[in-house]
Amino acid sequence: MAAARSLSQFQKAFSDEANCAAFMFKRRWPDGFVCPACGKHRFAALKSRPRLYECLDCGRQTSVTAGTAMHRSKLPLTTWFWAAHLMTTHSNGMSALQLQDQLGVTYKTAWLLTQKLRRSMLDPDREPLEGVVEIDQAEIPFREGDTFFERGNAGKILVIGAIEVIERDTNKAKPRPRRAKYLDTRSGRIRLAVIADNSAASIEAFVNANVKRGTTLLTDGHKSFPSLKGYRHDPRVVGKMAAHIVLTVDSSRIFSDEAMEPRHLSRTAPHAHRYLSQ
């Protein structure tokens, strides 16, 4: 897949169900088919259902998409493959609306694809953020039917984000004296989550779950941050720009109102553009 860089090359390589299924088969069983029930190797591909393979010893039927985001999906594999390519090759991110236009699917289908693919991008063994980490919260309005356009009826979610601050010359996170400006830096890994409220308990739970102890925290003046134990604190004023504008526009459109779930989102975004008020 890495060799097919352009969309046209990718679509040519995975032009139909057979090509996609063959790729999935090779990735799932690189040394040949192995029945998950009996461990035998003899199998038959079901012509009526190209994603299914039947063990000739025990009769167990196994799909190449079992256990993946595509499991039990009625969408063509080509749609899944093209959606994954678009979402992973656009440095500015891909919203459900953009995916709808690119693939010619309904908005509901595009939204479901983006949600499942974003979850698939998470590394379950990812390490906590460390070194120097900037943290801030923001209220973001979201659509809820037609109420978004009615005064006072737009819904809001509270989002907290943490992002590593990396030195460009050394490619490492290097803490500086308090109040010093972090110039000539780039963004590193990022974590985002929807929190229930702006309380110390919600903020502390997010930081403890996502940031390694001993890390320097660049924060605003929120009273919850100094109470965090085991971290070096470097509070500073954020500035006049609204935080939700920074998060949704400057941070490479990491998420949008139609992409956020009302529960939790946490993923890495190594190409996100970081905003730090100086």
Side-chain angles (χ1 to χ4, degrees):
M1 292 179 76
R5 298 183 182 275
S6 71
L7 179 59
S8 61
Q9 290 175 322
F10 188 88
Q11 289 177 328
K12 185 177 180 180
F14 301 100
S15 57
D16 54 34
E17 286 284 300
N19 287 337
C20 295
F23 175 83
M24 295 283 292
F25 183 95
K26 188 174 181 180
R27 295 286 292 182
R28 191 178 189 93
W29 298 296
D31 298 322
F33 177 84
V34 178
C35 178
C38 67
K40 299 297 180 59
H41 301 278
R42 298 193 309 136
F43 73 97
L46 301 183
K47 294 182 179 180
S48 59
R49 303 178 68 181
R51 303 182 190 181
L52 275 180
Y53 298 87
E54 183 174 311
C55 177
L56 296 179
D57 290 286
C58 69
R60 167 72 177 267
Q61 293 183 353
T62 306
S63 171
V64 291
T65 60
T68 70
M70 296 170 275
H71 185 49
R72 296 187 182 278
S73 173
K74 296 181 180 180
L75 288 174
L77 289 179
T78 51
T79 301
W80 279 101
F81 274 50
W82 298 354
H85 178 80
L86 288 169
M87 290 189 64
T88 54
T89 54
H90 280 62
S91 59
N92 289 336
M94 176 69 66
S95 70
L97 283 173
Q98 290 173 309
L99 203 62
Q100 176 188 7
D101 294 337
Q102 292 289 331
L103 297 178
V105 297
T106 65
Y107 176 78
K108 183 178 180 180
T109 297
W111 186 89
L112 183 63
L113 283 168
T114 57
Q115 292 300 307
K116 288 193 173 184
L117 289 171
R118 282 174 183 144
R119 291 193 187 99
S120 300
M121 294 178 193
L122 288 175
D123 180 3
D125 300 320
R126 62 188 184 275
E127 296 293 328
L129 307 183
E130 59 182 339
V132 182
V133 174
E134 183 181 357
I135 304 177
D136 203 359
Q137 314 98 275
E139 284 187 349
I140 301 180
F142 67 91
R143 296 184 182 90
E144 191 173 12
D146 295 331
T147 60
F148 179 80
F149 302 99
E150 299 176 9
R151 183 183 295 273
N153 287 336
K156 289 185 179 181
I157 54 176
L158 186 61
V159 177
I160 186 169
I163 189 165
E164 290 177 329
V165 183
I166 307 296
E167 304 280 345
R168 289 188 180 275
D169 55 348
T170 62
N171 205 34
K172 296 180 179 179
K174 182 181 179 181
R176 301 180 181 181
R178 286 169 61 89
R179 304 295 181 181
K181 295 181 179 181
Y182 282 81
L183 301 176
D184 196 26
T185 58
R186 64 171 181 83
S187 59
R189 297 174 297 159
I190 190 171
R191 299 286 187 272
L192 296 172
V194 176
I195 53 179
D197 50 47
N198 220 4
S199 65
S202 295
I203 294 175
E204 289 177 11
F206 169 80
V207 174
N208 289 329
N210 293 282
V211 184
K212 186 177 180 179
R213 295 297 179 93
T215 297
T216 295
L217 303 181
L218 305 181
T219 64
D220 57 17
H222 196 281
K223 60 183 180 181
S224 298
F225 292 113
S227 63
L228 288 166
K229 305 299 182 182
Y231 299 94
R232 177 175 178 263
H233 298 277
D234 190 356
R236 53 195 63 213
V237 178
V238 173
K240 296 182 179 180
M241 182 180 290
H244 72 274
I245 296 177
V246 174
L247 285 172
T248 55
V249 179
D250 284 353
S251 295
S252 295
R253 300 187 64 83
I254 293 170
F255 54 84
S256 55
D257 48 5
E258 85 272 12
M260 291 297 292
E261 288 185 311
R263 294 183 180 179
H264 180 77
L265 170 66
S266 176
R267 64 190 181 93
T268 57
H271 300 296
H273 296 294
R274 189 181 61 83
Y275 172 86
L276 175 61
S277 175
Q278 302 297 345

